[in-house]
Amino acid sequence: MNNTIESEHIADVFSIDYEGRGVAKIKGKTVFIHGALPTERVSLVIEKERKHFSEARVIKVLQPSVERVFPKCCHFDTCGGCVLQHATLKAQVAYKQRILEEQLEKIGGVKPDEFLPPIYGLEWGYRNRVRFSVSENEQGVFSLGFKEKYSHSVVDIKGCDILPASVSDILPELKFVLQKLVKINGKVNYVECFFGERLTVLNVCMQNILNKSAQELLKRFSDGLNQAGSRLWQIWVKHNKDQAYPVDTDSQLSLDYTLPEYDVIMPYLPGDFTQVNMQMNALMVNRALSLIQAEKEDRIADLFCGLGNFTIPMAKSGAQIIGMEGADYLVQRASKNAFLNQCSNVEFKQADLFKTDRKTIADWGRFDKMLLDPPRNGAYAVVKSLHAPYLPRRIVYVSCNPATLARDAGVLVDKGYCFKSAGVMNMFAQTAHVEAIALFELY
């Protein structure tokens, strides 16, 4: 059932959901309200009636929350990204903590002994990795920006405050160059931006192989960016599923980020998975390593290890670390990063961790500790397959989805683990995305 209707109501908002929508009840039925915050009274219009809930949007805020602020971005009402800009940073983090608590209780039936103090991070200008959508309509109007709320349309933007200023400021010029590029080389699928320590890379994904005129256009754009500012830029091009490559092949610089507390430098390539917020990433690594308490005599597994973001700093303890990752190119990159950082006590292996079973766990042998950092669908196969005598005595679980963390936490508690602590880290300020960390210890 998905009937679209419009009827006006007044409601008191008592909570917020994982998509950043206010939650209210109208005649006993749950209503999710776009643009509403907890403690507010709002006038709303119901846009969709479903069997068990309704979807609505705010017409007018009758009694605003003390945490309501005016959204900084002029695209707040249309862009699908920063849905919590109308709340203070303090309130955003509190909402995310509440979402984590509710998901743990409702889905996993669990509660930690302690909730860790939240980590707030930067409010604006934090995003080091981003993908821009590109579109051109039938009238030839070209747009560069982000997807509209609940739509495939592209919101055309001239700047974005969650990006570093040097990236946001070049968006009008980038749009102008992309318009030319489309005319001489065909469709642009999307553009990625990677903001490293010393270098910013724009990766342009094309429908067609780059021709000479297009290559010259991008080279001039790159040269102009490097002449105009103190920051170094590269333009890369990717043709569908082919490997991305730099337009200026003479450049010797590469993307990287650092974890200074561990004397670690992490090179990466455009397209590699990295956290979107490097400042928060460093704080997250610190918290994860303080929870896992790696010691020299430990054998530790880092599952879904990627480039070695946790693995390599953890190896500085002297423990024996095994990093496992599904993508072979990331395994190769992580091995190179370990060598670069002089970590000889690390081994990286390719493994499809979503197909883990009891035999897989036994083949790995016993680990003293385990760190999990899975994608949004979680680490269910891994936690479900853990069994004696191969149960690590301590597990640290980093999650970008509190629902799957809650599910997996319930499994671990059923296996005899004590749920010691959990907390949120504001990796994605202004958005409703929740990054969390949890600690489990074997009784």
Side-chain angles (χ1 to χ4, degrees), residues 262-277:
Y262 305 96
D263 191 27
V264 166
I265 183 168
M266 300 287 285
Y268 63 99
L269 291 175
D272 289 353
F273 174 80
T274 58
Q275 294 293 346
V276 303
N277 183 338

Side-chain angles (χ1 to χ4, degrees), residues 45-59:
V45 61
I46 293 178
E47 296 183 314
K48 291 182 181 179
E49 283 281 14
R50 302 182 187 271
K51 185 175 181 180
H52 299 293
F53 64 90
S54 303
E55 295 182 45
R57 60 177 167 82
V58 169
I59 297 175

Side-chain angles (χ1 to χ4, degrees), residues 7-25:
S7 54
E8 192 173 335
H9 301 269
I10 292 175
D12 294 313
V13 184
F14 61 84
S15 187
I16 197 164
D17 80 335
Y18 65 92
E19 292 185 23
R21 302 174 297 184
V23 184
K25 292 274 189 181

Side-chain angles (χ1 to χ4, degrees), residues 173 222-231:
E173 186 180 0
S222 177
D223 290 343
L225 291 174
N226 285 313
Q227 291 167 9
S230 57
R231 188 160 183 87

Side-chain angles (χ1 to χ4, degrees), residues 243-440:
Q243 183 71 41
Y245 64 91
V247 172
D248 183 358
T249 55
D250 296 330
S251 177
Q252 299 300 310
L253 274 180
S254 63
L255 286 164
D256 58 50
Y257 65 91
T258 59
L259 297 167
E261 187 168 331
Y262 305 96
D263 191 27
V264 166
I265 183 168
M266 300 287 285
Y268 63 99
L269 291 175
D272 289 353
F273 174 80
T274 58
Q275 294 293 346
V276 303
N277 183 338
M278 289 307 178
Q279 184 251 11
M280 180 56 68
N281 180 63
L283 297 173
M284 179 176 70
V285 170
N286 290 350
R287 173 160 281 186
L289 268 58
S290 70
L291 291 175
I292 205 161
Q293 297 179 10
E295 298 174 326
K296 194 170 184 178
E297 63 273 15
D298 287 334
R299 183 172 185 259
I300 304 176
D302 180 12
L303 306 187
F304 311 93
C305 67
L307 294 165
N309 186 54
F310 295 103
T311 332
I312 293 171
M314 196 157 42
K316 298 288 184 172
S317 67
Q320 181 188 358
I321 316 292
I322 311 295
M324 299 188 200
E325 167 61 44
D328 58 348
Y329 69 92
L330 287 177
V331 172
Q332 294 170 21
R333 204 96 73 237
S335 298
K336 290 179 180 178
N337 287 345
F339 180 80
L340 176 67
N341 288 281
Q342 300 179 332
C343 294
S344 58
N345 53 321
V346 179
E347 181 182 0
F348 290 98
K349 298 179 178 180
Q350 184 180 5
D352 185 349
L353 297 169
F354 298 107
K355 294 182 179 178
T356 303
D357 56 23
R358 289 172 64 90
K359 182 179 182 303
T360 308
I361 298 293
D363 289 343
W364 289 347
R366 189 178 182 280
F367 290 106
D368 299 291
K369 298 167 184 176
M370 181 176 285
L371 191 148
L372 301 169
D373 183 20
R376 289 189 60 80
N377 45 359
Y380 184 74
V382 173
V383 298
K384 191 74 174 174
S385 300
L386 290 173
H387 63 283
Y390 305 105
L391 297 170
R393 67 176 185 271
R394 178 171 295 196
I395 296 175
V396 172
Y397 194 131
V398 179
S399 169
C400 59
N401 184 350
T404 52
L405 169 61
R407 176 201 64 198
D408 296 348
V411 174
L412 289 171
V413 169
D414 287 344
K415 287 181 179 288
Y417 282 90
C418 175
F419 191 2
K420 298 293 289 183
S421 59
V424 298
M425 302 166 290
N426 198 26
M427 181 74 73
F428 311 93
Q430 313 305 329
T431 80
H433 296 298
V434 181
E435 189 84 10
I437 193 166
L439 172 64
F440 303 87

Side-chain angles (χ1 to χ4, degrees), residues 178 180-188 206-208 211:
L178 292 176
K180 285 188 172 182
L181 187 62
V182 168
K183 289 180 180 179
I184 63 177
N185 202 90
K187 184 181 177 182
V188 174
M206 303 289 301
Q207 188 76 29
N208 303 320
N211 62 40

